[in-house]
Amino acid sequence: MKRSTFLFLLIATFLGVATYLVKQNVISIEQDLLIAQKEIFQLEESIHILKAEWSHLNEPNRLQKLVENHLSYSPMEGNQLVSMDKVPSKESDKDYQGRLVTLASAKLP
């Protein structure tokens, strides 16, 4: 057998093995891609279901019924707003916390 024939046979064998390994690698990657696409589809479906549930849970009529059934909410009496000149300053008032408590508990006209 000539030396060049042997060399070409060796190169052909090497290229055949390399082609086979690349093909197997591509098949493995395609399978991983299909698995990832399936997971993405399932996650998108789950997100769609969760959005539907969230919009149902946040319906104003439903929330109003829950508030009426479970909370004994009533508006506070009086006005909770005060002007800035009635709020004590930390620097100028030694009994700062005491005045804040008094101011918070006082009923305004």
Side-chain angles (χ1 to χ4, degrees), residues 35-58:
I35 291 170
Q37 287 175 338
K38 187 176 182 181
E39 288 177 0
I40 289 171
F41 178 75
Q42 289 173 344
L43 289 174
E44 286 175 346
E45 202 171 73
S46 297
I47 289 171
H48 181 69
I49 291 170
L50 289 172
K51 282 183 179 180
E53 289 177 355
W54 183 255
S55 62
H56 167 70
L57 292 174
N58 283 328

Side-chain angles (χ1 to χ4, degrees), residues 9-25:
L9 184 61
L10 186 63
I11 291 173
T13 305
F14 175 75
L15 290 176
V17 170
T19 304
Y20 175 78
L21 292 175
V22 169
K23 179 183 175 185
Q24 293 303 317
N25 194 11

Side-chain angles (χ1 to χ4, degrees), residues 64-75:
Q64 182 63 35
K65 289 177 185 175
L66 288 173
V67 166
E68 290 170 358
N69 290 339
H70 299 289
L71 297 178
S72 58
Y73 174 76
S74 62

